[in-house]
């Protein structure tokens, strides 16, 4: 980091010095002052008067009169030249002042710009170091309790019906007396959430999970994670992450869980992973899905942070197998499952060749072809993708990793 500041400082000073030299350099075609030229002329006239007097061209009286007039002009020209010299001396400091201001603007402006756009105090980190730092940030982030404690308590909404609030109060008392009442906890979680009291709603939903035990499904865990995130002001805590992962173990295609997992990645320094997850959700759709609107509000910024040149795709164009496809594949024998996978890969290949797609889809196709043992086709797709994304370094890095896994790139 010290080396960076030394190089930046030397470059700024060098530019300022060159500009200062340009200000001090004489202008092309610059001439002597007019008074100096006049002095030479007048002195020549005095010498000519002496020559004319010696040749008898002028009389002594005329010569004396001419000398007096020329001498008067010499005095006037000398006074004018001295005045010009004083003015020139007074202006000699201007280039130095301008040079100093230029140096200040260049160095100070560069430093201010770096403070705005850069990361003072941080060295240039390799990708592996950045990933390691993000993983540390994820594992060491605040708990749900700490996040809730940092936020003010949420009161009852002013527009809430007094009768409804009274009913919820009765429900709270009933559940407090009967903590093992499953239906009571379900109703309490729903109604606390309706009032915006997500902390109490999450506590009630945790009781629902406890009471349901092994019968709890993906929806139960997603509801719990959703309440935790809302109670923490949009922060995905470790407890919320655990609930989301459990939900995804039931249903890997669940959009709400994948949206929140992407949000967690964005909050812990992995905008690249968040971008890929959200881009996939946009492509899968549908447009009416509840996660589409929040993704659209954030994904362009996420793409910028991930270093991706991005244009929002048409929502719902599809990407990869649907949840129905995955469920259907589970009932097939190995040969039928492989045939189905090959069909999906073929469809993805045709769509990318005809319509194009994201770098993630190209990487997905390269990896799938490598798994299927179709190395030659994987290599051809890899080389084609490298040409398509030649100007995107992040994409090329992703493609390289996919090519290495498929053993078609070094």
């Amino acid at each position: 980091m010290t080396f960076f500041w030394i190089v930046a400082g030397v470059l700024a000073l060098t530019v300022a010095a060159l500009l200062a030299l340009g200000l001090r350099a004489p202008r092309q075609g610059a001439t002597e002052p007019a008074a100096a030229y006049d002095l030479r002329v007048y002195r020549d006239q005095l010498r000519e008067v002496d020559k004319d007097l010696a040749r008898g061209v002028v009389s002594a009286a005329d010569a004396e009169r001419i000398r007096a007039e020329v001498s008067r002009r010499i005095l006037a020209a000398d006074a004018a030249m001295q005045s010009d010299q004083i003015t020139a001396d007074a202006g000699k400091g201007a280039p130095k002042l301008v040079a100093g201001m230029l140096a200040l603007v260049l160095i100070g402006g560069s430093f201010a710009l770096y403070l705005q756009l850069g990361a003072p105090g941080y060295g240039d980190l390799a990708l592996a170091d950045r990933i390691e730092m993000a993983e540390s940030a994820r594992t060491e982030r605040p708990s749900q309790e700490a996040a809730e404690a940092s936020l003010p308590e949420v009161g009852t909404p002013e527009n809430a019906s007094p009768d409804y609030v009274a009913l919820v109060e009765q429900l709270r008392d009933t559940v407090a007396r009967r903590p093992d009442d499953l239906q009571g906890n379900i109703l309490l979680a729903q109604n606390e959430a309706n009032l915006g009291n997500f902390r109490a709603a999450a506590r009630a939903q945790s009781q629902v999970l406890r009471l349901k035990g092994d019968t709890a499904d993906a929806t139960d865990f997603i509801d719990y994670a959703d309440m935790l995130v809302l109670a923490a002001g949009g922060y995905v805590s470790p407890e919320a992450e655990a609930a989301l992962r459990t939900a995804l173990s039931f249903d890997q295609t669940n959009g709400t869980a994948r949206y929140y997992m992407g949000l967690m990645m964005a909050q812990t320094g992995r905008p690249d992973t968040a971008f890929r997850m959200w881009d996939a959700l946009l492509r899968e759709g549908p447009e009416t899905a509840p996660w589409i609107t929040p993704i659209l509000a954030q994904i362009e910024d996420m793409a910028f942070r991930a270093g991706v040149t991005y244009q929002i795709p048409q929502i719902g164009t599809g990407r990869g197998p649907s949840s129905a496809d995955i469920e259907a594949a589970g009932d097939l024998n190995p040969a039928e499952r492989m045939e189905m996978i090959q069909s999906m890969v073929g469809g993805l290949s045709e769509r990318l060749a005809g319509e194009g797609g994201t770098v993630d889809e190209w990487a997905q196709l390269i990896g799938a072809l490598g798994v299927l043992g179709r190395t030659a086709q994987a290599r051809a797709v890899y080389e084609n993708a490298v040409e398509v994304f030649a100007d995107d370094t992040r994409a090329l890095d992703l493609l390289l990793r996919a090519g290495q896994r498929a053993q078609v790139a070094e």
Side-chain angles (χ1 to χ4, degrees):
M1 196 61 178
T2 303
F3 178 73
F4 166 78
W5 286 114
I6 292 174
V7 172
V10 169
L11 288 175
L13 287 173
T14 301
V15 172
L18 291 174
L19 291 174
L21 288 174
L23 291 171
R24 292 176 58 86
R27 291 172 293 175
Q28 287 287 356
T31 59
E32 63 181 341
Y37 174 77
D38 291 342
L39 279 174
R40 287 205 310 273
V41 172
Y42 297 151
R43 291 190 179 103
D44 289 342
Q45 287 178 348
L46 286 177
R47 287 192 292 271
E48 290 298 324
V49 169
D50 292 337
K51 291 178 182 179
D52 290 343
L53 181 60
R55 291 196 303 268
V57 176
V58 296
S59 63
D62 289 338
E64 186 63 29
R65 181 178 56 79
I66 293 172
R67 286 194 190 97
E69 178 62 23
V70 173
S71 297
R72 184 186 65 78
R73 293 181 180 181
I74 288 175
L75 291 174
D78 184 64
M81 190 168 67
Q82 289 182 7
S83 177
D84 291 342
Q85 185 63 39
I86 292 173
T87 302
D89 291 341
K92 283 183 178 179
K96 295 181 181 179
L97 179 61
V98 174
M101 293 179 63
L102 285 173
L104 180 63
V105 170
L106 284 172
I107 298 174
S110 300
F111 184 74
L113 187 62
Y114 180 72
L115 289 178
Q116 178 70 23
L117 302 178
Y122 289 89
D124 189 17
L125 297 176
L127 179 60
D129 295 330
R130 295 176 186 272
I131 293 175
E132 183 179 354
M133 289 178 62
E135 181 61 22
S136 297
R138 187 182 70 81
T139 56
E140 298 173 7
R141 70 192 193 275
S143 66
Q144 180 72 25
E145 182 181 1
E148 291 181 7
S150 67
L151 298 173
E153 289 286 344
V154 177
T156 303
E158 295 180 358
N159 59 350
S161 168
D163 293 338
Y164 180 68
V165 172
L167 289 174
V168 174
E169 287 286 356
Q170 293 178 8
L171 181 59
R172 290 170 185 165
D173 293 339
T174 300
V175 172
R177 293 193 304 271
R178 298 159 53 185
D180 293 334
D181 184 346
L182 175 59
Q183 190 61 34
N185 279 285
I186 292 175
L187 290 173
L188 181 60
Q190 293 173 348
N191 286 281
E192 293 284 16
N194 291 340
L195 286 175
N197 189 6
F198 295 109
R199 298 182 189 183
R203 289 194 295 269
Q205 186 65 19
S206 69
Q207 294 302 312
V208 172
L209 295 177
R210 179 183 66 82
L211 294 170
K212 281 193 172 184
D214 294 339
T215 63
D217 57 17
T219 301
D220 295 322
F221 283 97
I222 289 171
D223 288 343
Y224 180 49
D226 186 43
M227 293 171 185
L228 289 175
V229 172
L230 293 172
Y235 166 68
V236 184
S237 66
E239 293 84 350
E241 180 189 354
L244 292 169
R245 291 191 182 278
T246 303
L248 287 171
S249 69
F250 288 104
D251 180 10
Q252 295 182 4
T253 66
N254 186 273
T256 301
R258 289 160 62 193
Y259 165 71
Y260 276 136
M261 287 298 290
L263 182 62
M264 183 271 293
M265 289 295 180
Q267 293 173 349
T268 55
R270 289 304 303 270
D272 55 328
T273 304
F275 165 72
R276 289 195 296 270
M277 297 176 74
W278 288 353
D279 177 65
L281 285 171
L282 285 183
R283 294 177 185 278
E284 291 174 16
E287 293 185 26
T288 55
W291 51 84
I292 296 297
T293 298
I295 288 178
L296 288 175
Q298 303 172 78
I299 193 167
E300 289 183 300
D301 176 64
M302 204 58 54
F304 174 78
R305 290 169 55 191
V308 179
T309 302
Y310 184 65
Q311 182 176 2
I312 294 177
Q314 182 179 352
I315 299 172
T317 55
R319 172 187 171 175
S322 65
S323 57
D325 293 332
I326 293 175
E327 291 179 8
D331 298 330
L332 301 177
N333 60 46
E336 292 172 333
R337 188 179 299 111
M338 180 59 67
E339 182 180 355
M340 179 179 179
I341 293 172
Q342 289 177 338
S343 174
M344 293 178 184
V345 169
L348 178 60
S349 178
E350 291 178 4
R351 182 165 63 81
L352 292 180
E355 305 174 10
T358 66
V359 63
D360 300 284
E361 291 176 313
W362 285 92
Q364 180 187 26
L365 178 58
I366 294 167
L369 291 172
V371 171
L372 293 174
R374 292 154 62 174
T375 306
Q377 188 177 353
R379 181 176 291 106
V381 172
Y382 171 74
E383 293 173 352
N384 188 13
V386 168
E387 293 179 2
V388 172
F389 297 96
D391 297 329
D392 190 337
T393 55
R394 204 282 306 183
L396 291 176
D397 180 64
L398 182 62
L399 291 171
L400 177 61
R401 293 199 297 270
Q404 290 171 340
R405 288 194 297 270
Q407 298 183 348
V408 296
E410 297 181 357

